[in-house]
Amino acid sequence: MRHRQVPRTEWQPRPLHLQAGAGEWPHAADLYVGRQVAAVRLQSDVTQAELARAVGISPQQLQKYENGKNRISASMLFEIATCLGVPVGRLFQGLPGNATQKGEVASLPVDERITFLASSEGRRLIEGVMRLHPRTRRRVSALIAALG
């Protein structure tokens, strides 16, 4: 049996690894908004599990939102902002290209320390340090301060 050659003019599905969106980096706005969610959540002293439960998603999904791997829908942004007690616009404040209106006061930029703590690397570091004996923890803290 001979297979016919399909000319390039006919439509063929592209392999997943070549389709738009597959393997691409997250959009800068998705990363920024996700980091804002994490920062506000940390400032509000709310865990990922608590916020995820409150908005009806898994903690893994919330983590993907915070890391910018998954985009957050408008309705989910509304739910998250409502649960954290902030206006939705707070999650976009400081986003490049998102200029404030005339007379509106710009908010302070998000503290880089909070952004680091919201990252997986920051969480692993804090969890590891918290498992240390308090005396060892103080010594590690002093070492880090000396290195910085």
Side-chain angles (χ1 to χ4, degrees):
M1 171 185 262
R2 285 188 69 152
H3 295 281
R4 81 178 174 101
Q5 294 285 11
V6 179
R8 286 277 176 215
T9 56
E10 291 185 28
W11 181 85
Q12 291 180 341
R14 295 169 66 186
L16 279 178
H17 67 280
L18 297 177
Q19 290 182 357
E24 291 180 8
W25 293 98
H27 191 280
D30 296 324
L31 287 169
Y32 186 86
V33 171
R35 291 289 184 216
Q36 291 293 309
V37 168
V40 172
R41 179 181 58 74
L42 287 170
Q43 288 171 343
S44 302
D45 199 27
V46 176
T47 67
Q48 278 186 333
E50 291 168 339
L51 180 57
R53 189 172 32 258
V55 297
I57 59 174
S58 70
Q60 294 81 7
Q61 180 64 35
L62 180 60
Q63 186 175 28
K64 288 178 182 180
Y65 287 156
E66 290 184 354
N67 291 330
K69 292 184 194 274
N70 287 2
R71 290 184 173 167
I72 309 173
S73 69
S75 58
M76 184 54 63
L77 274 174
F78 178 79
E79 291 294 324
I80 289 170
T82 301
C83 286
L84 292 174
V86 297
V88 175
R90 166 63 180 86
L91 303 176
F92 292 92
Q93 286 179 342
L95 180 66
N98 188 20
T100 57
Q101 295 178 355
K102 186 177 181 182
E104 188 178 338
V105 178
S107 65
L108 296 173
V110 175
D111 191 340
E112 289 181 33
R113 293 172 289 184
I114 293 173
T115 301
F116 174 73
L117 291 174
S119 71
S120 60
E121 181 184 11
R123 287 189 302 271
R124 281 193 312 270
L125 176 65
I126 295 301
E127 288 168 3
V129 169
M130 293 308 295
R131 283 190 223 112
L132 297 173
H133 185 274
R135 185 174 176 187
T136 306
R137 195 180 316 149
R138 283 191 298 275
R139 288 180 177 171
V140 168
S141 178
L143 172 64
I144 292 171
L147 290 172

